[in-house]
Amino acid sequence: MDIREKLYQMFILGLDGNGYKEALTKGLGGIIFFTKDIQTPEQFKNLCAEITSQSKITPFLSIDQEGGRVERTENIHGGKKYLSAKFAFEKGEEFLRNQTDEIAKELKSYGINMNFAPCIDVNTNPNNPIIGERAFSNKPEEVIFGQKIVSTTYRNNGIIPCVKHFPGHGDANADSHLTLPQINLTLKEMEQTHIKPFADAVKDGIEMVMVAHLHCTCFEKEEIPTSLSKNAINYLRNSLNFNGVAISDDMIMKGVAKFGAKTACEMGIRAGLNMFIYRNSLPETIDIIEFLVQKAQGDRELFANIETSFEKIIELKKKFGLLK
């Protein structure tokens, strides 16, 4: 496999812009689906099958299906929604397990193999504009309990779980879709509350961690988001011993905008990120990948990090039977 195919494996793109079609023939790593892509069960099932058949390497077919506010199948359900993490958790262990099982079986029936869930932020800030009911609780022990149930249930159904948003979005007072929130806690304070569920998930063998666009001052004095921070990702690898796939939150969010897309992705690879999400596949998104292909040719560090990421991605695909 050449470096171009390995780099394409590192990207999960949305359907907007149609660039994903050609990218699939070059080894694109995955597709992310949104509400507008999903009209009926039959249409969506056919779309997933068509995408897989056009792919050079079997792709991750991914979605954000948490329940409640973050749910992508509302067109299919005619308005009926699953409960968000908080309310499902409050109804007890059996309810949470059964609802997760229902979500997983539904996703599997369409051909989805990855869900960007559970959200394991500890919602300590009541004014948090983006997490709120997406979190199981404002107590780390309860979040850990919820994570175990949800991740295990997805895994048992052949869906890859992805915990988010490392190192914890729960104390933020802003939405990283709109700006770069700052979390001004010491590392010890982060570890006592927000990092705790991630440490536990890693110990349990979680396969994928989504890294947030947050400025955590315990990792970086400068305004560098954790998603692009070598210190934050090294901590995830070396202090928490995470050996799986580290993926960015959506790279079109304002939390990473100030760096410019090409520089942001380059920083992310150098920091140790393995995959990037872009909610579109516009020409400018494809250009980022092609820019990195050229850059990697003469850059030993970049080249080596791409190779490492590719190995991790392929290993995960093999574990869940997507590749032989």
Side-chain angles (χ1 to χ4, degrees):
M1 309 233 28
D2 67 13
I3 201 71
R4 174 176 272 105
E5 288 167 333
K6 290 178 179 181
L7 249 168
Y8 270 89
Q9 270 297 291
M10 292 176 67
F11 284 79
I12 290 180
L13 304 182
L15 304 188
D16 273 7
N18 280 329
Y20 74 92
K21 290 178 179 173
E22 194 183 339
L24 287 167
T25 68
K26 294 178 177 176
L28 183 66
I31 296 287
I32 182 167
F33 298 102
F34 294 93
T35 306
K36 61 180 176 39
D37 305 319
I38 306 168
Q39 302 309 321
T40 68
E42 205 53 39
Q43 164 268 336
F44 189 40
K45 196 174 176 176
N46 291 339
L47 178 61
C48 288
E50 186 189 336
I51 285 167
T52 302
S53 72
Q54 291 169 350
S55 302
K56 184 164 191 174
I57 301 168
T58 307
F60 292 129
L61 297 178
S62 66
I63 199 165
D64 287 289
Q65 186 84 338
E66 298 171 19
R69 210 165 68 202
V70 181
E71 190 172 319
R72 307 300 188 210
T73 53
E74 46 258 54
N75 293 337
I76 291 177
H77 293 158
K80 174 189 172 284
K81 278 181 165 288
Y82 295 107
L83 292 187
S84 61
K86 177 182 190 287
F87 299 119
F89 183 83
E90 284 171 355
K91 279 183 167 284
E93 181 180 343
E94 191 182 0
F95 182 91
L96 180 62
R97 184 174 282 110
N98 289 343
Q99 175 176 280
T100 307
D101 194 58
E102 199 182 323
I103 293 172
K105 285 182 165 55
E106 183 192 356
L107 295 180
K108 195 75 181 165
S109 75
Y110 306 135
I112 293 291
N113 52 43
M114 174 180 283
N115 192 6
F116 294 120
C119 175
I120 61 169
D121 301 298
V122 183
N123 196 50
T124 51
N125 182 353
N127 300 317
N128 194 319
I130 188 63
I131 302 302
E133 67 186 53
R134 295 170 65 193
F136 294 113
S137 169
N138 58 5
K139 298 182 179 72
E141 293 70 25
E142 292 184 346
V143 173
I144 286 168
F145 187 67
Q147 184 278 134
K148 287 179 191 297
I149 293 168
V150 171
S151 295
T152 303
T153 306
Y154 281 131
R155 209 177 275 119
N156 289 346
N157 280 283
I159 302 279
I160 302 165
C162 173
V163 294
K164 60 188 186 186
H165 307 82
F166 178 83
H169 212 304
D171 198 59
N173 60 1
D175 178 352
S176 51
H177 291 84
L178 309 174
T179 185
L180 179 62
Q182 186 179 88
I183 294 189
N184 203 7
L185 298 174
T186 65
L187 183 59
K188 192 173 180 194
E189 288 168 327
M190 286 294 287
E191 286 174 333
Q192 281 169 343
T193 304
H194 301 282
I195 290 173
K196 232 182 198 171
F198 292 95
D200 193 82
V202 169
K203 211 163 29 178
D204 278 356
I206 196 71
E207 295 83 357
M208 184 176 258
V209 173
M210 183 185 287
V211 188
H213 306 314
L214 295 170
H215 176 216
C216 293
T217 55
C218 64
F219 291 120
E220 298 287 350
K221 294 288 170 271
E222 284 178 68
E223 275 201 355
I224 297 171
T226 41
S227 51
L228 311 182
S229 161
K230 202 171 264 192
N231 292 335
I233 294 169
N234 279 349
Y235 177 89
L236 176 63
R237 295 283 183 215
N238 303 329
S239 297
L240 300 191
N241 297 316
F242 177 61
N243 197 33
V245 174
I247 189 167
S248 74
D249 206 341
D250 192 344
M251 291 296 287
I252 69 155
M253 288 161 64
K254 293 288 188 289
V256 282
K258 78 167 192 177
F259 297 96
K262 289 173 182 173
T263 302
C265 286
E266 186 184 333
M267 285 173 71
I269 295 172
R270 291 191 195 282
L273 268 186
N274 307 122
M275 293 195 86
F276 300 92
I277 299 173
Y278 273 88
R279 63 169 51 235
N280 64 60
S281 52
L282 293 162
E284 51 265 39
T285 303
I286 304 298
D287 282 351
I288 299 162
I289 307 176
E290 292 297 336
F291 162 79
L292 291 166
V293 171
Q294 297 311 315
K295 186 95 191 207
Q297 308 286 3
D299 189 314
R300 196 171 291 174
E301 180 196 39
L302 213 55
F303 199 97
N305 285 12
I306 292 162
E307 301 252 85
T308 300
S309 294
F310 175 76
E311 285 162 18
K312 288 183 184 297
I313 294 159
I314 295 301
E315 196 179 312
L316 180 54
K317 288 186 173 182
K318 283 180 176 170
K319 179 177 177 178
F320 278 79
L322 307 186
L323 298 172
K324 291 284 182 283

